[in-house]
Amino acid sequence: MDGIVGSKPALRWVTHITVALLVILWIIPTAGLMVSSFRTGDQITSSGWWQAFSTQEAQQPAIRITGDEVQEGDAFVIEGRLFANAATISAWGTSSREPEAYAPGATADIGDGVTLTLAEDGAFRLTAPNSTADMRLPRVFTSAATAPEFTLDNYRTVLFSPLAGQSIGQAFLNTLTVSIPATVIPILVAAFAAYALAWMQFPGRAMLVAVIVGLLVVPLQLALIPLLQLHNAIGIGKGYWGIWLAHTGFGLPLAVYLLRNYMVSLPRDIIENARVDGASEFQIFVKIVLPLSFPALASFAIFQFLWTWNDLLVALVFLGTGNDQQVLTGNLVNLMGSRGGDWEILSASAFVSIAVPLLVFFSMQRFLVRGLLAGSVK
C-alpha cells in the first residue's frame, strides 16, 4: 500500500518533467525560426540564431571597391566605406587565398603603383598613379565584428514582392481558400451523422459505426487516383471544389467518430425530456446537442485545419502545380529548390506558414482535451 501511495508523486513528477521536455523541444526550434526570420542573410549564414543578439565576429562576403575618383596632385584617389552599418575590422586582404593578410590601418600594394589602405572602421583609400576609370577595382575580404541586425524586409519580400519565386502571398491566400471550407464542410456533415448514430434508432446503426471505425485506418493514398478519375468523369476536375470534396471525404470518418462519441455521452434525460415536450429531432440537434458539443467540434476543427493547412499531397493531386494554384507547402518546396541560399527568405516564409496554425491551436486548445476525452470515461 505504501508503495502504491508513494508511486503517485513520483509518477506525477515524471509526467511533469516529460511535458516540460516536450514543450522545450517544441519551443526552441520555433523561437529559432522566428529570430532567423528577422535577421539579414549575411548574419544568418555567418552565425547561429542563438548568437543573434550579440556582436558577431565573422569573415564577411567579399566587397569590391567602388566610388568616385578624385585627382589629388599626380595621384588619383577613391575614398569610401565598405560597410553601411557599424563594423570593426580585425583583419583584411585582397585575395581569397589570404583573406587576413593585413591588419587594420595597413596599406596593401595592389600592383602597378596602386595601393589600398583600410581602416578599422571600414573606411578605405585607394591611390593610383593613373586613372582607374577603365580598371577593374580590387575586392576586399574582411574579418569583422558587426552589430546585430534585424529587419522587416524579409517579410515585405515574401508577402508583397511582385517577383514570382519570392512571394508567398498568393500561396497564402490559396491555402486559406482550401483550409477554411475543407474544415467547415466536414464538420457540418459529420455533426448531423454523429447525432443520428448517437440518438436515433434505425436498422444497421451499429454496422455503420463499425464501418466508420474501419475507414479510420484506410490510407488516403489508396483513394487519390480513383477519386481524381471520378472527379474528372463527373466534370469537377482539378480545382477548389475537387480539393474541398477530397478533404471532406478523408476527414469525415474521424469527424463522425469523435462527434458521435461526444454526443452519446451527453445526459440522456435532456434528450428524453425534450422529446416528451414535443421537440423534433432537428430542434433537439440544433438547440440542445449542437451547443453542448462545441468542445468536440473545436477539437476536430483543430485537427482538420492543421491537416489541410499542412497538406501537400492532396493539393498537388486535386489543385495543380501552377504558380497561381500552389498552396504554402508547395511554394516552400519551390523556394528551397530555387532560392536555397536565401535563408532569410526561407525562414520568413516558414514562419508565416506556421503562424496561422499556431493562432488556431492556441485560440481553441482549451477545448481540445475535453473533446478528445469525451466518451472515454463514464
Side-chain angles (χ1 to χ4, degrees):
M1 187 67 181
D2 292 342
I4 297 176
V5 173
S7 65
K8 291 182 178 178
L11 181 60
R12 188 181 302 120
W13 273 107
V14 171
T15 303
H16 290 174
I17 292 173
T18 303
V19 171
L21 289 175
L22 289 175
V23 171
I24 292 172
L25 288 175
W26 187 86
I27 286 179
I28 288 178
T30 306
L33 182 63
M34 184 185 70
V35 172
S36 297
S37 68
F38 290 101
R39 302 180 72 198
T40 61
D42 292 340
Q43 294 211 342
I44 289 178
T45 54
S46 62
S47 61
W49 65 268
W50 54 91
Q51 299 171 303
F53 299 98
S54 59
T55 300
Q56 297 162 34
E57 174 78 26
Q59 184 158 352
Q60 305 298 316
I63 302 175
R64 191 171 295 281
I65 296 293
T66 60
D68 296 328
E69 186 180 75
V70 177
Q71 186 171 5
E72 295 182 359
D74 295 333
F76 293 84
V77 177
I78 298 177
E79 293 183 328
R81 303 184 69 86
L82 287 182
F83 305 109
N85 301 319
T88 303
I89 295 174
S90 57
W92 64 281
T94 56
S95 169
S96 59
R97 290 175 296 181
E98 295 180 317
E100 298 182 349
Y102 304 100
T107 299
D109 185 359
I110 308 299
D112 297 330
V114 180
T115 59
L116 176 65
T117 303
L118 184 61
E120 187 180 47
D121 61 355
F124 66 85
R125 177 183 174 88
L126 185 139
T127 306
N130 302 309
S131 174
T132 59
D134 300 327
M135 176 182 172
R136 185 178 175 84
L137 297 179
R139 292 188 304 168
V140 179
F141 300 83
T142 57
S143 295
T146 56
E149 293 181 51
F150 297 98
T151 178
L152 293 175
D153 290 343
N154 302 338
Y155 285 96
R156 292 193 188 97
T157 301
V158 300
L159 292 177
F160 306 113
S161 173
L163 300 177
Q166 282 192 343
S167 172
I168 62 170
Q170 183 61 47
F172 185 86
L173 295 177
N174 292 346
T175 308
L176 278 179
T177 307
V178 170
S179 299
I180 294 176
T183 302
V184 174
I185 294 173
I187 289 177
L188 292 176
V189 177
F192 282 100
Y195 175 77
L197 292 172
W199 292 106
M200 295 176 69
Q201 300 294 332
F202 56 89
R205 188 178 69 161
M207 181 60 69
L208 274 179
V209 174
V211 170
I212 290 171
V213 173
L215 288 175
L216 288 173
V217 297
V218 176
L220 66 88
Q221 290 85 350
L222 291 177
L224 285 177
I225 301 305
L227 194 56
L228 179 60
Q229 290 177 332
L230 174 64
H231 285 186
N232 290 331
I234 62 179
I236 295 177
K238 289 189 174 182
Y240 287 115
W241 273 109
I243 195 170
W244 291 340
L245 292 177
H247 278 307
T248 299
F250 294 136
L252 269 179
L254 178 61
V256 175
Y257 178 75
L258 279 178
L259 294 178
R260 183 260 177 195
N261 283 354
Y262 190 91
M263 291 179 182
V264 82
S265 68
L266 296 176
R268 177 176 292 275
D269 292 344
I270 298 176
I271 310 297
E272 297 297 337
N273 288 339
R275 286 173 176 159
V276 169
D277 291 340
S280 66
E281 295 292 344
F282 184 75
Q283 289 174 322
I284 295 172
F285 171 71
V286 173
K287 296 184 178 180
I288 298 177
V289 175
L290 205 56
L292 292 175
S293 302
F294 188 78
L297 297 172
S299 299
F300 175 73
I302 293 174
F303 280 118
Q304 183 70 1
F305 186 84
L306 296 181
W307 155 245
T308 55
W309 184 272
N310 295 318
D311 167 68
L312 174 61
L313 179 61
V314 178
L316 288 176
V317 173
F318 291 95
L319 199 58
T321 57
N323 289 331
D324 58 340
Q325 298 169 319
Q326 284 184 343
V327 293
L328 268 176
T329 48
N331 201 298
L332 286 175
V333 171
N334 287 346
L335 285 177
M336 290 180 66
S338 62
R339 307 185 67 81
D342 296 337
W343 290 106
E344 71 280 12
I345 301 294
L346 290 172
S347 57
S349 302
F351 194 76
V352 169
S353 72
I354 69 172
V356 174
L358 287 177
L359 180 64
V360 171
F361 178 79
F362 284 117
S363 63
M364 304 179 73
Q365 57 87 24
R366 66 181 184 276
F367 301 111
L368 182 63
V369 176
R370 289 173 57 193
L372 292 180
L373 295 181
S376 61
V377 179
K378 292 289 186 182

